[in-house]
Structure formats: structure tokens, C-alpha cells
């Protein structure tokens, strides 16, 4: 699946989203129908609980909203909180699961991501019907129109089946998202404690594209236990556990949704790269994701628009050592070096046989449902192949 980060160790951390142009290269077959339906049910369950999908709406990062812990912005369509006057939603108390955390995270009250989003907000917009978003101003995935009652499906296409015009449009949309500051969202550069319980907001503007780079960093980062170097590494809120497929699926749907809003192209959909049996990075060409620079193979050739991109949130170990969060500042050019990765972590891209083996596994997850799970579809999909 491109560079989600589990089948291509040659992708640097900040590229875990920047190259992820696919939703799935796996063919949908009858033998995995039950698994697919499990994903769908879990996503629906998550969506029924989640008050909002992104992290920090710009309108909810003021001293007042952080102190009151209420994030219920007005919908521009009628000026009421959550579009209540138009029946789009209402401001409600956040409801979260009372289930305990797994053994991978034996702490409580130390990390802002625990029982999200209660550390920052305890009242948010709960949207009705087919509406969604921080102010119920958007349509749920798959619905369009002024009243979000037009059901329409999106077609996922192989990137190599796109016409030249379609490929150029894809690259131009990516670049537009990278160069456009997000109108709706900002990213946190400090913990709630560092923000003095909301009296000192610590947020930064980033591009539409980099909102999602930051989201992947934030959900995956180590838990800070207090002070430089004091972190808990055995936790990841989007990987190494059952949420891996549904979290990334919703994540990509959100990214696609924001691209549509930015460009006005409601027909845009994310293509996929079928990497089965590939000997290298087939999409690393100037026509697509950029070829290697002849001067420095870790850089992108200057003829590609991606050679001008700058990265953020790519230095996880430095943040750990300093005991800080990513500050969302420019950290240099986009780097990748396909074929020269750490082969002790990932030897190569998966083969067709390995994909078929993964699809044949009947159990979505097993055992402790973490990186040690045996014969687990989810764990094998993440790259932790265990056949014993």
C-alpha cells in the first residue's frame, strides 16, 4: 500500500503518508468477505462514537475553547453551533468507551491521547444523518449535495491505468495541498500541560497535506512520561493492534475528502499502486512520485515537483531525547532511498504468494492482538508474518 510504513522500510517516517497514494493493492475476494465486513462494522462503530475526525479545528484552539473544553463551532450555513438550527447536529458531551487500555500501555493520565479527546475537549458537535465534521458542515463519506443526501460511490483505479492528464491532475492536486495552508485545522506543538491547561495555546499553521503528515506522526509517536528521553515505546495508537486497517482506511478517506474540498473536484479518488512482486519503487519516476537524483540518490530529481517539498515531524528520536513534540517546522528536503533500506527490517516488497497467504487467514486477529499475534490477518498485513 505505497508507503504506509510497514512493507517498505526504505520510506523515511515523514514519507509514511507522503507516498501513500493507494488504498489497497489487495484484490477483494470471497474468502476475505468476512474480514472486509468486520472492517466495515468497526469503522461504522468508530464513526458512531467519534465526535470529529481531525485533531484540532482552528476555531477550537483559542484560550476560551481550551479552558471550557467545548469545541462546538458554528456552521457557516446558518450561524448556529453545529448547524443545530438546520438539524445538522448539536453540541453534546463526549462519550468514550470505559474499556481499559491494553497491556501495551500500563499508564493513566500521562498522555494527551488517552481517552481522546477528553484531555482537550469534553463537549463537541454530534452530527445527525449524513452530516459530519467539527461543525457538522461536511457530508459523510460517500454522500454529496447541499443536504448530503446524494449517494455516490468512488472508483479506485490502478495508478498505471490513469491517462497522462489524470496523472498530471493527481500530482497538481498533491502539490496544491502541500502549498496551501489549511483553512480549517492547525496542529499541536505542545502538550496540554505545556499549554498550562489551555491558557497558553501552542499550535501551528501547516498545509492541508501536512495536517495529515502530522496526524500520522501524532498517533504513532512514543508516549512521553516526563522529561528528556523518558518515553514509553511499546505503544502506538494506530499500529500493532486491531485498529490498524480501519484507522488507516478512515485516514485516507479523510485525506481524499480534504483534497476534494480544496480543489472542488468531487470526483477525485485516490489511486492505488499494486506493488505485488515489484522489484523496486515503480512509482518513483518523474512522471509520478519523482525519480532519484543522480547527484544524491536519497533526494528526488530536480525535474520533479516533489524535489522542492520540505518535510516536518521526521525526527522522532530527537523529539524523544529532548522530551518535546514535533514543532511543525521545516526539517529539510523530502528524502527517500528505495532499495537501500535496512533489509533486516524488511527484505523486499511482498510477493503475490505472500498476499494470497495473508488473504487466506481466517482470523482477523489472535492472541494478545499485538505484534506477537500468530496467524493473524491484521498482524500479517502489518508485515509481522507469523505462521507458527
Amino acid at each position: 500500500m505505497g508507503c504506509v510504513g510497514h512493507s517498505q522500510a526504505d520510506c523515511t517516517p515523514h514519507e509514511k503518508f507522503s507516498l501513500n497514494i493507494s488504498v489497497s493493492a489487495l484484490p477483494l475476494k470471497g474468502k476475505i468477505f468476512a474480514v472486509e465486513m468486520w472492517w466495515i462494522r468497526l469503522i461504522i462503530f468508530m464513526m458512531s462514537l467519534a465526535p470529529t475526525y481531525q485533531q484540532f479545528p482552528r476555531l477550537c484552539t483559542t484560550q476560551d475553547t481550551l479552558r471550557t473544553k467545548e469545541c462546538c463551532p458554528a456552521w457557516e450555513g446558518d450561524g448556529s453551533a453545529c448547524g443545530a438550527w438546520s438539524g445538522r447536529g448539536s453540541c453534546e458531551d463526549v462519550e468514550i468507551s470505559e474499556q481499559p487500555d491494553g497491556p501495551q500501555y500500563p499508564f493513566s493520565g500521562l498522555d494527551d491521547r488517552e481517552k481522546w479527546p477528553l484531555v482537550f475537549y469534553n463537549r463537541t458537535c454530534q452530527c445527525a444523518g449524513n452530516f459530519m465534521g467539527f461543525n457538522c458542515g461536511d457530508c459523510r463519506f460517500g454522500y454529496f449535495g447541499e443536504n448530503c443526501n446524494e449517494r455516490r460511490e468512488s472508483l479506485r483505479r490502478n495508478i498505471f491505468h490513469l491517462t497522462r492528464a489524470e496523472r498530471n491532475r493527481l500530482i497538481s492536486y498533491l502539490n496544491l495541498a502541500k502549498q496551501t495552508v489549511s483553512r480549517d485545522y492547525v496542529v499541536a506543538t505542545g502538550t496540554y500541560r505545556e499549554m498550562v491547561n489551555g491558557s497558553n495555546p501552542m499550535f501551528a499553521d501547516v498545509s492541508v497535506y501536512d495536517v495529515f503528515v502530522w496526524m500520522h506522526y501524532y498517533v504513532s509517536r512514543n508516549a512521553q512520561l516526563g522529561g528528556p528521553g523518558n518515553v514509553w515505546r511499546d505503544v502506538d495508537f494506530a499500529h500493532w493492534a486491531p485498529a490498524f486497517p480501519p484507522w488507516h482506511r478512515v485516514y485516507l478517506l479523510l485525506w481524499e475528502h480534504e483534497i476534494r474540498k480544496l480543489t472542488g473536484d468531487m470526483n477525485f479518488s485516490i489511486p492505488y499502486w499494486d506493488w505485488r512482486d515489484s522489484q523496486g519503487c515503480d512509482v518513483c519516476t518523474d512522471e509520478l512520485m519523482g525519480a532519484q537524483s543522480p547527484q544524491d540518490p536519497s533526494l528526488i530529481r530536480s525535474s520533479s515537483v516533489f524535489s522542492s517539498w520540505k518535510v516536518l515531524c521526521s525526527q522522532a528520536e530527537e523529539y524523544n531525547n529532548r522530551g518535546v513534540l514535533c514543532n511543525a517546522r521545516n526539517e529539510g528536503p523530502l528524502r527517500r532511498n528505495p532499495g537501500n533500506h535496512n533489509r533486516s527490517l524488511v527484505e523486499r516488497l511482498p510477493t503475490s504468494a505472500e498476499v494470497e497467504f495473508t488473504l487466506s487467514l481466517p482470523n482477523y486477529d489472535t492472541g494478545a492482538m499485538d505484534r506477537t499475534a500468530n496467524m493473524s490477518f491484521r498482524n500479517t498485513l502489518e508485515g509481522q508474518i507469523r505462521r507458527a
Side-chain angles (χ1 to χ4, degrees):
M1 298 194 336
C3 283
V4 171
H6 306 280
S7 61
Q8 278 183 278
D10 54 321
C11 296
T12 54
H14 56 265
E15 286 195 76
K16 288 181 180 179
F17 183 70
S18 66
L19 282 183
N20 192 359
I21 56 172
S22 66
V23 172
S24 178
L26 306 181
L28 181 61
K29 298 188 178 181
K31 60 186 175 182
I32 62 162
F33 180 75
V35 172
E36 285 285 333
M37 291 306 296
W38 192 95
W39 287 4
I40 293 170
R41 286 196 294 270
L42 180 55
I43 292 172
I44 292 173
F45 174 72
M46 291 169 62
M47 291 171 67
S48 69
L49 295 178
T52 183
Y53 297 98
Q54 271 91 356
Q55 303 285 355
F56 294 101
R58 183 180 296 277
L59 296 175
C60 295
T61 55
T62 64
Q63 287 184 343
D64 184 54
T65 54
L66 290 171
R67 285 171 175 169
T68 62
K69 294 196 172 188
E70 181 172 294
C71 178
C72 294
W75 174 52
E76 295 175 352
D78 66 9
S80 67
C82 311
W85 294 345
S86 300
R88 299 178 79 95
S90 57
C91 189
E92 305 288 346
D93 291 342
V94 173
E95 296 181 11
I96 61 170
S97 171
E98 295 300 324
Q99 293 294 319
D101 294 323
Q104 301 95 332
Y105 185 73
F107 306 101
S108 178
L110 291 179
D111 194 288
D112 289 345
R113 299 167 297 179
E114 296 175 31
K115 300 187 182 300
W116 184 266
L118 287 186
V119 169
F120 290 93
Y121 311 110
N122 55 31
R123 283 177 62 80
T124 61
C125 288
Q126 298 286 339
C127 304
N130 296 329
F131 303 111
M132 77 169 192
F134 62 86
N135 63 354
C136 301
D138 294 336
C139 297
R140 283 184 180 269
F141 306 128
Y143 289 89
F144 300 83
E146 184 177 348
N147 296 314
C148 300
N149 55 6
E150 299 175 20
R151 177 67 173 160
R152 203 185 320 156
E153 294 183 351
S154 297
L155 176 65
R156 304 275 179 232
R157 297 174 60 194
N158 188 318
I159 192 168
F160 292 109
H161 295 169
L162 301 182
T163 66
R164 181 181 297 275
E166 289 169 333
R167 294 185 189 183
N168 290 340
R169 183 161 57 246
L170 169 65
I171 303 306
S172 68
Y173 284 0
L174 291 175
N175 198 46
L176 179 63
K178 179 67 172 178
Q179 306 304 328
T180 304
V181 173
S182 174
R183 172 179 176 267
D184 293 331
Y185 302 102
V186 293
V187 302
T189 58
T191 64
Y192 190 69
R193 177 176 296 179
E194 290 173 326
M195 296 184 198
V196 196
N197 298 330
S199 63
N200 179 38
M202 298 174 65
F203 298 92
D205 288 332
V206 295
S207 72
V208 172
Y209 187 93
D210 284 333
V211 165
F212 290 87
V213 174
W214 180 88
M215 283 174 63
H216 198 277
Y217 150 76
Y218 192 77
V219 76
S220 306
R221 66 176 176 82
N222 297 145
Q224 295 184 356
L225 305 182
N230 188 17
V231 298
W232 182 257
R233 298 177 183 274
D234 194 26
V235 66
D236 189 312
F237 287 85
H239 307 82
W240 310 340
F244 170 70
W247 189 93
H248 284 84
R249 178 162 289 188
V250 174
Y251 174 74
L252 290 172
L253 286 170
L254 282 168
W255 179 76
E256 183 177 70
H257 179 74
E258 290 300 310
I259 292 289
R260 288 172 174 171
K261 288 171 59 178
L262 175 65
T263 64
D265 183 356
M266 294 298 117
N267 293 314
F268 170 76
S269 62
I270 304 173
Y272 66 88
W273 168 32
D274 185 350
W275 35 244
R276 293 172 298 176
D277 302 312
S278 292
Q279 299 302 306
C281 182
D282 299 337
V283 296
C284 294
T285 65
D286 285 342
E287 192 177 31
L288 292 173
M289 298 295 104
Q292 289 177 298
S293 166
Q295 287 77 34
D296 183 343
S298 70
L299 294 175
I300 298 174
R301 188 158 25 198
S302 59
S303 52
S304 168
V305 67
F306 297 109
S307 65
S308 65
W309 281 29
K310 306 300 180 184
V311 302
L312 54 81
C313 300
S314 65
Q315 301 172 6
E317 282 306 308
E318 180 181 336
Y319 313 144
N320 288 343
N321 293 336
R322 294 167 52 200
V324 300
L325 296 184
C326 162
N327 60 19
R329 294 176 183 168
N330 176 354
E331 293 177 349
L334 181 63
R335 290 182 180 273
R336 72 173 88 100
N337 201 358
N340 294 303
H341 57 276
N342 185 347
R343 295 184 183 275
S344 65
L345 295 176
V346 176
E347 182 181 355
R348 50 170 169 69
L349 290 167
T351 65
S352 294
E354 288 168 335
V355 171
E356 290 300 316
F357 169 76
T358 303
L359 295 176
S360 73
L361 295 173
N363 296 317
Y364 179 84
D365 223 334
T366 61
M369 301 187 190
D370 57 15
R371 286 179 288 181
T372 68
N374 291 332
M375 300 300 288
S376 155
F377 171 82
R378 186 273 315 161
N379 203 31
T380 305
L381 186 66
E382 288 203 64
Q384 305 291 333
I385 299 178
R386 296 176 180 273
R387 307 189 186 207

